[in-house]
Amino acid sequence: MNPAPSSASLDHLVKLLGKLPGIGPRSARRLALHLLRKKETLMLPLASTLAAVAEAVTACRQCGNLDTTNPCSLCRDPMRNARVLCVVESVADLWALERSATYKGHYHVLGGVLSALSDTSPDDLRLEQLQARCQGGQTDEVILALSATLDGQTTAHYIASLLEELPVTVTRLAQGVPVGGELDYLDEGTLSAALLSRLPV
Amino acid sequence: MNPAPSSASLDHLVKLLGKLPGIGPRSARRLALHLLRKKETLMLPLASTLAAVAEAVTACRQCGNLDTTNPCSLCRDPMRNARVLCVVESVADLWALERSATYKGHYHVLGGVLSALSDTSPDDLRLEQLQARCQGGQTDEVILALSATLDGQTTAHYIASLLEELPVTVTRLAQGVPVGGELDYLDEGTLSAALLSRLPV
């Protein structure tokens, strides 16, 4: 099915847009036409920003965050506590934690979680770097901020056992009722976790 | 809410992606990270294709189709019947008709339909150009391939009255049961249209 038979380059653009996650052929055609309608305000700025970001942004050699500087601006920030490391699966999770504006320590991006299904082994994750950062007494605490899924929790346990011998405290995120969550709509697992971790008022 | 506090250019990319239709802030962040993971195979090709298409693609002065040549390749194709014009609302509709691979005439893209809600008047559409193409006897038939919506049908009636005095036959798309459509799931309007336009077997 040829979406834009009249122009090979337009056709190529639609194909590339269709490779983006969550964008099917129909959305790709819609995006291409929208971009062509907003040539000056969106299409050209997007083209140059994509090229500039692809050129400038690299993974921080210390924490794995994406930034134009290396080490990244979070690792270089003197206001942040370098003695606490927050272990996250991906940069998306790092961003989510930054949006909550609660955490003022450093990060460690694993680049995935252990998973039998997607064939991710410990060697695929940045675990050696994490061990190195926990040795030599520069780190007091490692917070495991991994998803409350099977793979996330498997990875959390694996890391906890990995760091057992090292002089760091390993903690994990609390589980319970989400803010704004209605009890009636919560699953049994969350409710029972919230009940077991109940706190004095 | 700052999605990527550690890099201004990454933040800018997320903002631009968030301006695309159907892409919210969360999808924009996901797209940006996906693009950074596929820097060589997707991000850089997309950047250069966007720039190239923005540079090269223009609206055909004859039919309004988008192409790298002007008049477009459909208008220049000697195998297509230039005496039949198919009037469509947008280039997206033109592409849809081309995918059906049934129509071998020329097109005329209106650039919208008459709409009181979105404040589109006859002056906003390419109607003068359509009248000009129907004068002088170069055109035999005008097919109104407009959506079966209120605005689409209003526009179809308006164009039909506009071309009344000119030496062209004005036709419209058939209405009826879609291919693969189950009667039980069709609305009453479609069923009654299909019944009224019934054909001998």
Side-chain angles (χ1 to χ4, degrees):
Chain A
M1 239 182 14
N2 194 346
S6 50
S7 161
S9 59
L10 202 49
D11 194 22
H12 186 57
L13 175 62
V14 170
K15 284 220 180 80
L16 281 175
L17 290 170
K19 286 188 187 172
L20 295 172
I23 309 285
R26 183 180 288 267
S27 307
R29 290 193 292 270
R30 192 159 142 251
L31 283 182
L33 288 172
H34 182 86
L35 284 163
L36 279 163
R37 267 197 300 274
K38 312 227 163 188
K39 216 179 259 190
E40 300 301 323
T41 55
L42 188 53
M43 195 171 189
L44 290 171
L46 185 59
S48 59
T49 308
L50 279 171
V53 169
E55 172 74 29
V57 170
T58 53
C60 171
R61 61 174 170 267
Q62 207 166 330
C63 73
N65 183 23
L66 293 164
D67 201 347
T68 44
T69 58
N70 196 345
C72 74
S73 53
L74 296 180
C75 284
R76 288 184 299 112
D77 187 347
M79 301 296 288
R80 300 187 80 104
N81 183 358
R83 303 193 65 81
V84 183
L85 294 186
C86 183
V87 175
V88 288
E89 176 182 343
S90 64
V91 176
D93 291 353
L94 185 157
W95 288 357
L97 282 166
E98 279 301 292
R99 282 199 300 282
S100 77
T102 305
Y103 180 65
K104 291 291 166 208
H106 281 211
Y107 286 95
H108 191 84
V109 180
L110 286 180
V113 284
L114 298 178
S115 166
L117 269 178
S118 70
D119 200 21
T120 311
S121 75
D123 295 337
D124 301 320
L125 308 181
R126 298 178 68 252
L127 289 173
E128 270 182 43
Q129 291 96 319
L130 178 63
Q131 280 179 296
R133 292 178 82 181
C134 293
Q135 277 155 354
Q138 327 104 296
T139 305
D140 293 333
E141 183 181 355
V142 171
I143 305 170
L144 300 174
L146 298 166
S147 295
T149 57
L150 186 63
D151 286 345
Q153 293 310 301
T154 308
T155 312
H157 279 112
Y158 184 85
I159 295 176
S161 67
L162 211 62
L163 303 179
E164 213 167 22
E165 305 290 301
L166 297 172
V168 289
T169 315
V170 180
T171 56
R172 63 165 180 82
L173 294 186
Q175 286 192 318
V177 182
V179 174
E182 294 182 52
L183 289 201
D184 198 15
Y185 289 93
L186 282 177
D187 62 296
E188 298 78 22
T190 305
L191 271 181
S192 100
L195 207 55
L196 291 173
S197 315
R198 65 189 176 279
L199 301 165
V201 181
Chain B
M1 242 186 10
N2 193 348
S6 49
S7 160
S9 59
L10 202 49
D11 194 21
H12 186 56
L13 175 62
V14 171
K15 284 220 179 83
L16 282 175
L17 290 170
K19 284 188 188 171
L20 295 172
I23 309 285
R26 182 181 289 266
S27 307
R29 290 193 292 270
R30 193 159 141 252
L31 284 183
L33 288 172
H34 182 86
L35 284 163
L36 279 163
R37 266 197 299 274
K38 312 228 163 188
K39 215 179 259 189
E40 300 301 324
T41 56
L42 189 54
M43 196 172 188
L44 289 170
L46 186 58
S48 60
T49 308
L50 279 169
V53 169
E55 172 74 29
V57 171
T58 54
C60 170
R61 61 173 168 267
Q62 207 166 330
C63 73
N65 183 22
L66 293 165
D67 200 347
T68 43
T69 58
N70 196 346
C72 73
S73 53
L74 297 180
C75 284
R76 287 183 300 113
D77 187 347
M79 300 296 289
R80 301 187 79 105
N81 183 357
R83 303 194 64 81
V84 183
L85 294 186
C86 183
V87 174
V88 289
E89 177 183 342
S90 62
V91 176
D93 291 352
L94 185 156
W95 288 357
L97 282 166
E98 280 301 294
R99 282 198 301 282
S100 77
T102 305
Y103 180 65
K104 292 291 167 209
H106 281 212
Y107 286 96
H108 191 85
V109 180
L110 287 180
V113 284
L114 298 178
S115 167
L117 269 178
S118 69
D119 200 21
T120 310
S121 76
D123 295 337
D124 300 320
L125 307 181
R126 297 178 67 251
L127 290 173
E128 269 182 45
Q129 290 97 317
L130 178 63
Q131 280 178 296
R133 294 178 80 181
C134 294
Q135 277 156 355
Q138 327 105 295
T139 306
D140 293 331
E141 184 182 356
V142 171
I143 305 170
L144 301 175
L146 298 166
S147 294
T149 57
L150 186 64
D151 286 345
Q153 293 310 301
T154 308
T155 312
H157 280 112
Y158 184 86
I159 295 176
S161 66
L162 210 61
L163 303 180
E164 212 166 24
E165 305 289 301
L166 297 172
V168 289
T169 314
V170 180
T171 56
R172 64 165 178 82
L173 294 186
Q175 287 192 316
V177 182
V179 174
E182 294 181 52
L183 290 199
D184 198 15
Y185 289 93
L186 282 177
D187 63 295
E188 297 79 22
T190 304
L191 271 181
S192 100
L195 207 54
L196 291 172
S197 313
R198 64 189 178 279
L199 302 165
V201 181

